[in-house]
Amino acid sequence: MVGRACRAGLVVGVLVAGVGACTGSAGGGNEADQGRKPDRRVATACANGTFTWSHLTERDRLTGVSGPERLRKGSGTLQNPMRRVYTPSPSVRADGPAPSAAEILFSLGKKIGEIDSDARTLAEAGGDTWSFTDVRQPAPRLDEERIRPGAPGRFVQYAGVREVTADFRYTCPDGRTVSGRARNWTIDITGLTDCGERPDSALAREVARTACSA
């Protein structure tokens, strides 16, 4: 890759060491050409910094809900499919050079108890993997398993996740810092609510507002 970058005169995406090799071996160009292509060194995050987390919040988010369906006692299972109302996705944002998204989510996972590991970093975890560290993790599927309420009522089936969001500060030994925010979910939630009953949780109230008539 470094060789190709040198021949093409490119520096984008080349590590600091690669940039030095290109500028130092530009024997085929003249000083004017080199002047038009200055050495732009790429800032990178340190590998041995520490995380500090703040403003950590956990919230149950509704991801899918079915239409209401009235059943008599012993009349069978629910048939209405669920429709998606929210698609959760892992997210990591930083205001400067930071460790990889997987390393940031690893630190967050340890902070909230989702990841049980004595390793200081994901790189030191000895090849262990956790789905929580995968920023490309797909949203949970909506479970279409048919539920038999076993009682009369007007029912709605729903699904959700427990979403966690937190701010981080990553501090290097030399004092450099970078701040950002990370988001992911920890558990999948499935449930059933009766539109004729008083909701007993924030998620059930959201289900009632979304799927049950006034």
Side-chain angles (χ1 to χ4, degrees):
M1 289 296 294
V2 172
R4 289 198 294 273
C6 291
R7 289 196 295 271
L10 300 177
V11 297
V12 176
V14 181
L15 297 176
V16 173
V19 175
C22 289
T23 55
S25 60
N30 55 40
E31 293 183 0
D33 289 337
Q34 294 178 20
R36 287 196 296 268
K37 299 170 184 175
D39 182 0
R40 298 182 182 275
R41 296 185 179 272
V42 180
T44 58
C46 64
N48 55 346
T50 57
F51 283 97
T52 303
W53 292 94
S54 62
H55 304 110
L56 192 151
T57 60
E58 291 185 277
R59 175 189 174 190
D60 291 345
R61 298 290 303 267
L62 184 66
T63 58
V65 65
S66 72
E69 189 172 353
R70 186 174 296 281
L71 293 179
R72 297 183 178 87
K73 184 176 181 179
S75 59
T77 59
L78 296 175
Q79 299 298 319
N80 289 343
M82 282 192 286
R83 61 182 176 87
R84 187 171 291 281
V85 296
Y86 174 68
T87 303
S89 61
S91 172
V92 174
R93 294 181 289 119
D95 61 10
S100 69
E103 282 287 2
I104 294 171
L105 291 175
F106 178 79
S107 176
L108 176 59
K110 290 189 63 176
K111 173 69 177 179
I112 63 176
E114 179 68 12
I115 294 176
D116 182 13
S117 174
D118 293 330
R120 191 179 65 86
T121 66
L122 181 60
E124 296 174 1
D128 293 340
T129 59
W130 294 267
S131 60
F132 190 84
T133 65
D134 184 2
V135 76
R136 294 180 296 276
Q137 181 183 189
R141 296 178 57 185
L142 298 180
D143 189 0
E144 296 296 342
E145 180 182 355
R146 304 305 180 187
I147 296 178
R148 182 184 294 272
R154 189 163 174 262
F155 298 99
V156 172
Q157 186 177 351
Y158 65 89
V161 296
R162 181 156 297 163
E163 195 170 66
V164 56
T165 304
D167 297 330
F168 70 86
R169 179 177 293 275
Y170 185 74
T171 304
C172 294
D174 62 6
R176 288 179 297 143
T177 63
V178 59
S179 299
R181 170 166 285 201
R183 181 188 69 221
N184 209 340
W185 71 87
T186 57
I187 60 173
D188 299 344
I189 302 169
T190 58
L192 186 71
T193 190
D194 187 339
C195 290
E197 300 291 336
R198 183 180 181 86
D200 59 359
S201 67
L203 192 60
R205 286 192 292 273
E206 187 176 356
V207 172
R209 287 193 301 267
T210 302
C212 297
S213 65

